[in-house]
Amino acid sequence: MSLLSEINTDQLPNHIAIIMDGNGRWAKSKGLLRSIGHQNGAKTVKEIVETCAKINVKYLTLYAFSTENWNRPKLEVELLMKLLISSLKKEVKTLQKNNIKLSTIGNLNSLPTKVAKELKDVIEKTKDNNRLTLTLALSYGSQEELIKTIKEISLKVKNNLISPENIDKSVINNHLYDHYLPDVDLLIRTSGEQRISNFLLWEIAYAELFFSDILWPDFNKENLFEAILNYQNRERRFGKTSDQLK
């Protein structure tokens, strides 16, 4: 029996973020090229995105390529960019069919021209979809995002557009890449690693964290349901006491 039957659909996390880790190790464990791991990881992305749409999760953010990933071997980076382009071309019909809106966060100016063009094309084609907002974090690093935000706010203070006394959470939120998204409710990381890796550091301030030992290419919808059930069995206090919540 699927774990889906145990999930309370009235208490789904509104925003799920996933650090998709383990493609390389999955391939190595099977004596395959890392490229095969990335290709199988892309299949997992399709399953998880479609599942989130079907169960009515409203926001899904995937850590697809970090600012640090540019330091990987050149051939692997090129392959990842080609895989991204082919996946976008292949899945645009799936996004439309499932009423999924695509968006991106990160330093998109650093992406190859072909990748940026394909992204903009799919974003434009899906802009009116409203069942699920799928956000790809590409060339993204949270520290870089916060530095960008601080610089932008500082410049506005310098030009008397913002008073230092009025800088609050909402001002910072409005200068982040994902200013249009709600805070993350559930952060999932696969592959057994238990760290955040410079991902959405501001946005996960009160997120529930779930670490899975499963490598990303083997992660499936039942593993997602397990993470959601784990989330639903936690008490989210946001600094309050249990008695206050009652």
Side-chain angles (χ1 to χ4, degrees):
M1 180 182 294
S2 173
L3 291 174
L4 178 59
S5 61
E6 301 179 31
I7 289 176
N8 182 347
T9 54
D10 293 326
Q11 294 182 3
L12 288 169
N14 189 42
H15 186 180
I16 296 176
I18 304 179
I19 301 174
M20 307 177 293
D21 194 18
N23 288 344
R25 277 170 284 167
W26 181 89
K28 185 177 180 180
S29 70
K30 299 179 180 300
L32 302 172
L33 296 173
R34 289 177 63 88
S35 59
I36 305 299
H38 293 310
Q39 290 169 9
N40 279 272
K43 295 177 182 178
T44 299
V45 169
K46 178 180 173 65
E47 178 179 357
I48 296 305
V49 170
E50 290 183 343
T51 299
C52 282
K54 287 177 182 177
I55 65 175
N56 292 320
V57 170
K58 294 301 180 183
Y59 301 92
L60 175 65
T61 300
L62 302 178
Y63 204 5
F65 193 86
S66 74
T67 50
E68 291 77 20
N69 286 156
W70 291 113
N71 296 320
R72 289 190 175 188
K74 182 180 178 181
L75 287 177
E76 182 172 351
V77 171
E78 290 176 351
L79 182 140
L80 285 168
M81 292 299 112
K82 289 179 181 178
L83 181 60
L84 177 58
I85 291 174
S86 64
S87 295
L88 287 168
K89 288 181 176 179
K90 187 188 303 181
E91 299 304 331
V92 64
K93 289 184 179 179
T94 299
L95 295 176
Q96 296 287 48
K97 176 184 175 182
N98 289 283
N99 197 15
I100 297 170
K101 177 180 179 179
L102 180 70
S103 68
T104 58
I105 57 173
N107 183 6
L108 304 184
N109 291 329
S110 62
L111 293 175
T113 303
K114 289 184 179 180
V115 174
K117 182 179 181 298
E118 195 63 40
L119 272 172
K120 289 179 182 178
D121 182 54
V122 179
I123 288 171
E124 178 63 25
K125 288 178 179 177
T126 63
K127 66 180 181 180
D128 295 324
N129 295 343
N130 57 21
R131 185 177 188 180
L132 168 70
T133 297
L134 168 64
T135 302
L136 300 181
L138 292 164
S139 192
Y140 174 88
S142 191
Q143 291 180 335
E144 185 271 339
E145 176 183 37
L146 292 173
I147 291 170
K148 174 196 76 72
T149 296
I150 292 168
K151 286 181 177 179
E152 290 176 356
I153 295 174
S154 298
L155 185 60
K156 289 184 177 181
V157 170
K158 180 180 179 180
N159 294 326
N160 296 316
L161 297 174
I162 297 178
S163 170
E165 292 76 18
N166 292 331
I167 297 174
D168 57 13
K169 180 181 177 181
S170 65
V171 171
I172 295 173
N173 283 340
N174 289 335
H175 289 81
L176 297 174
Y177 287 128
D178 59 355
H179 56 87
Y180 53 90
L181 296 176
D183 286 342
V184 176
D185 297 301
L186 172 62
L187 173 71
I188 301 170
R189 179 170 188 148
T190 60
S191 87
E193 302 293 351
Q194 298 187 19
R195 55 179 177 270
I196 306 304
S197 295
N198 199 17
F199 185 47
L200 302 177
L201 299 178
W202 176 270
E203 297 87 337
I204 63 168
Y206 276 100
E208 299 298 324
L209 310 182
F210 182 85
F211 298 104
S212 171
D213 290 332
I214 298 171
L215 300 175
W216 179 246
D218 287 331
F219 195 82
N220 58 38
K221 61 183 180 181
E222 289 300 318
N223 304 128
L224 175 66
F225 297 154
E226 179 188 4
I228 293 174
L229 279 171
N230 185 280
Y231 164 87
Q232 291 185 339
N233 287 322
R234 299 186 191 184
E235 183 180 64
R236 305 188 75 199
R237 297 192 295 273
F238 299 97
K240 297 181 180 180
T241 66
S242 296
D243 289 338
Q244 283 178 301
L245 294 177
K246 293 176 183 177

